[in-house]
Amino acid sequence: VEQSFTKLNGTAPGLALNLQKETVGAFEQVKVQSIAVRPASCSQTSALATAPLAFLWSVTEVGSGAVVPLSEVLKTTGSLTVPAYSLTPGKVYALACRLTILTLSTTAVRIVTVSSAVPQAVILGGDRTVPIANASLPGLSKSTCATGAMVIDASESRNRDFPKTDSRAVSGLH
């Protein structure tokens, strides 16, 4: 688990971000946990010691600055889970958390890269062995092919960069 920690000085809150993985597939959730540290200058009796911590998360595409929409519930908690298929394969994203205590705040950012997934190949039926001609067997010539009809059903294969319900996920083999 990688960590990023931001602590400006004794009067600002500190913020660390634990990122589960720096490179993910589109089919995976992205999980980030924040660790907040109250300012060192606050005494046990000061308002800073008891004030609530406010978290505000954002996810933006690096380069274009496009913002990934997040539910309001996800934006205000100490951890962030970006649902599977929310991020585009081949893109890099900045996951930022702003921590505010009263009038003091700090921001920490982690970078995540979304890689393209390898296709999920699924062949149904039979023993998945495709017979081929073998002229070394007795009674077969070099032009002999497997006899009978052969059906290869790859309809369960899919591109995991897209949800199963997306037409782009379905293979062309049926």
Side-chain angles (χ1 to χ4, degrees):
V1 174
E2 298 283 330
Q3 292 186 7
S4 173
F5 186 76
T6 303
K7 181 98 169 118
L8 301 177
N9 57 41
T11 61
L15 180 61
L17 298 181
N18 275 339
L19 178 61
Q20 192 175 36
K21 290 170 64 175
E22 290 183 340
T23 301
V24 298
F27 57 92
E28 297 177 280
Q29 292 181 338
V30 177
K31 294 183 179 184
V32 188
Q33 179 68 43
S34 68
I35 301 168
V37 178
R38 292 184 183 273
S41 60
C42 68
S43 68
Q44 294 296 330
T45 58
S46 76
L48 286 173
T50 58
L53 305 176
F55 298 91
L56 181 61
W57 292 90
S58 65
V59 179
T60 56
E61 184 185 327
V62 173
S64 74
V67 176
V68 176
L70 299 172
S71 82
E72 290 304 313
V73 173
L74 291 178
K75 286 183 175 182
T76 58
T77 63
S79 63
L80 174 69
T81 299
V82 180
Y85 301 110
S86 298
L87 306 177
T88 304
K91 305 282 183 177
V92 177
Y93 293 88
L95 289 72
C97 181
R98 182 171 183 82
L99 169 65
T100 303
I101 305 173
L102 298 176
T103 59
L104 303 174
S105 64
T106 192
T107 301
V109 178
R110 293 304 308 264
I111 301 297
V112 67
T113 302
V114 183
S115 62
S116 293
V118 296
Q120 181 180 20
V122 179
I123 307 297
L124 302 175
D127 63 6
R128 294 167 182 81
T129 302
V130 178
I132 58 172
N134 186 341
S136 67
L137 292 175
L140 294 179
S141 69
K142 288 184 180 183
S143 62
T144 302
C145 295
T147 59
M150 182 185 325
V151 176
I152 297 177
D153 179 359
S155 62
E156 294 297 315
S157 298
R158 69 185 199 91
N159 182 342
R160 294 186 306 155
D161 285 339
F162 306 100
K164 287 182 177 182
T165 56
D166 190 313
S167 63
R168 296 172 292 178
V170 181
S171 74
L173 301 174
H174 294 283

